[in-house]
Amino acid sequence: MPVNASSVRTLCDICYQLPPIDTIPDGPEDQPTPGSLLVQRKGRPLNLPELISGAATWSHFYNEENELTTDVPLRTIRLALRYGIRAFDTAPFYDNSEIVLGTALKALEQEFPRATYQLITKRLHTQYLDVVYLHDVEFVARCGVAPPRREGNHLSALGAEAGTISALRTLQANGLIRHVGISGFPLPSLLRIALLVLKRTGRPLDIIQTYSHLTLQNSTLLAFAEAFRTRARVVQLIAASPLGMGLLAPPPAPPSWHPAPDAVRAAAREAVAAVAVAWSVRAAGESSDGDGGSGRMPVVVGMSNLQEVHAAVAAWRWARDEGRREELERKAALAQDVFERTGTAGWTWSSGNWA
């Protein structure tokens, strides 16, 4: 279906321009390959698909400006939607990600109206947001066990997270936000804040997202999941970055800014990206939800181009193919053995105030 040309040239306060609409291809490579498509899972609290598109790729962290100003973002986003990847995760921290994503979604609204996908962010060209996170909470929360100072009122050690959540709940009650949650890296920090919010507000968080903790190199989220669900009563967990922010991606990854030390980088060179994504999807799908069900943990995958969308869906299909389960487990075990032998399995770098 053609893109709505009248919407291409306008976007709120920052102008991100797509190429002329009649130059944007829509050929065979822009169509899903034969096979299963993702669906929004009915009956689940947030109704999210098993794969979520991680829109941090639409930033200078992963792509150059000359790539972001081509038709590649729109074609990539359109293909993801066609495959059934109907949820997008982004944030203001990701440079121009929200602008690029918002412009593309606005241009695609004729084929994909707003009600057909979910947005996990803080701001976009939309009248409501499906999920709003307090983003990277470990950079503002006091995550240690000691009070901030020896004298004075120690209530400040609890932080302002619960009060901020209450403000978001007000927006939720007014229909501007549908779900409220937090995102970040260190699992102990996220669990502490989730417990704090439950204790101080009497209401659990709707959703928590962490990243690089359900990978071939580090799968510690599986051990924390029960505590999040039963102790903090979090409704939805999301596992982002099955490639560990590019750590397990093919060369020349990982990016130069990646915080992993040389030992972890060296071990990661032997891992295979397709296996990494498929294994994370499978592990997330088999994670118990605490209510006798399974598969409650969607996986966020960054996709920069059409090839990466096709590859992500191929990995998802592989994870769901019982006939290829032994093949996946064998290849994943080979990669995991590298991290075990080098002592880098489960290793987590420091982030924010958690050290």
Side-chain angles (χ1 to χ4, degrees):
M1 185 176 295
V3 177
N4 184 355
S6 65
S7 64
V8 172
R9 298 295 179 182
T10 61
L11 179 74
C12 11
D13 52 346
I14 301 177
C15 183
Y16 168 76
Q17 293 189 344
L18 289 166
I21 201 62
D22 58 1
T23 69
I24 297 179
D26 192 5
E29 68 273 25
D30 296 89
Q31 311 303 322
T33 58
S36 300
L37 302 179
L38 288 97
V39 296
Q40 291 177 296
R41 296 172 299 167
K42 304 296 183 182
R44 294 300 185 184
L46 274 69
N47 194 26
L48 292 166
E50 292 180 21
L51 290 184
I52 296 172
S53 176
T57 51
W58 310 127
S59 70
H60 70 275
F61 294 117
Y62 293 98
N63 284 290
E64 299 296 330
E65 185 68 21
N66 59 1
E67 184 80 0
L68 299 178
T69 53
T70 67
D71 60 22
V72 171
L74 182 142
R75 295 175 68 193
T76 303
I77 292 163
R78 181 177 60 190
L79 178 60
L81 288 164
R82 288 173 174 174
Y83 266 121
I85 302 174
R86 300 294 181 89
F88 298 88
D89 172 68
T90 184
F93 178 74
Y94 303 147
D95 197 39
N96 285 336
S97 169
E98 292 178 319
I99 306 302
V100 176
L101 176 62
T103 301
L105 291 174
K106 181 65 176 175
L108 291 166
E109 65 181 351
Q110 183 178 349
E111 183 174 355
F112 299 101
R114 176 63 183 89
T116 64
Y117 56 84
Q118 298 192 62
L119 295 174
I120 305 172
T121 182
K122 289 186 176 65
R123 60 187 184 190
L124 272 177
H125 197 93
T126 180
Q127 293 181 337
Y128 68 92
L129 295 173
D130 298 280
V131 176
V132 170
Y133 292 134
L134 296 185
H135 189 67
D136 284 343
V137 289
E138 70 268 24
F139 287 90
V140 294
R142 297 185 177 96
C143 305
V145 296
R149 52 183 178 271
R150 294 183 180 180
E151 297 179 351
N153 190 333
H154 284 186
L155 286 176
S156 60
L158 291 175
E161 299 89 358
T164 308
I165 290 291
S166 295
L168 292 178
R169 291 292 190 198
T170 299
L171 296 176
Q172 185 179 31
N174 292 331
L176 300 177
I177 297 171
R178 293 188 172 176
H179 303 285
V180 172
I182 60 175
S183 68
F185 182 64
L187 296 175
S189 172
L190 295 174
L191 180 58
R192 168 203 174 267
I193 294 172
L195 291 168
L196 171 65
V197 169
L198 177 61
K199 178 70 173 179
R200 295 194 64 184
T201 70
R203 183 177 177 181
L205 291 168
D206 299 322
I207 184 169
I208 288 181
Q209 177 176 298
T210 188
Y211 58 94
S212 302
H213 279 123
L214 190 59
T215 74
L216 289 173
Q217 182 266 328
N218 186 337
S219 60
T220 48
L221 178 57
L222 294 176
F224 272 80
E226 183 177 0
F228 279 118
R229 289 166 174 156
T230 59
R231 292 179 55 196
R233 292 164 47 196
V234 175
V235 177
Q236 176 77 69
L237 295 177
I238 292 182
S241 194
L243 296 180
M245 297 195 302
L247 179 67
L248 304 176
S256 59
W257 50 259
H258 200 288
D262 290 341
V264 177
R265 288 169 176 256
R269 293 190 190 105
E270 298 187 39
V272 180
V275 177
V277 174
W279 181 88
S280 293
V281 171
R282 180 111 197 168
E286 294 178 344
S287 176
S288 172
D289 62 10
D291 296 318
S294 63
R296 278 194 67 195
M297 199 186 303
V299 174
V300 180
V301 182
M303 296 168 284
S304 295
N305 52 54
L306 298 177
Q307 293 73 27
E308 291 183 3
V309 178
H310 289 304
V313 174
W316 171 76
R317 289 172 175 171
W318 184 9
R320 300 172 73 247
D321 188 345
E322 288 296 329
R324 299 184 65 193
R325 178 169 186 159
E326 183 178 349
E327 175 193 4
L328 175 57
E329 291 179 347
R330 174 172 50 83
K331 291 183 176 181
L334 290 174
Q336 289 170 321
D337 182 63
V338 174
F339 297 112
E340 294 290 345
R341 286 190 286 103
T342 57
T344 57
W347 191 91
T348 298
W349 49 86
S350 64
S351 179
N353 295 331
W354 183 270

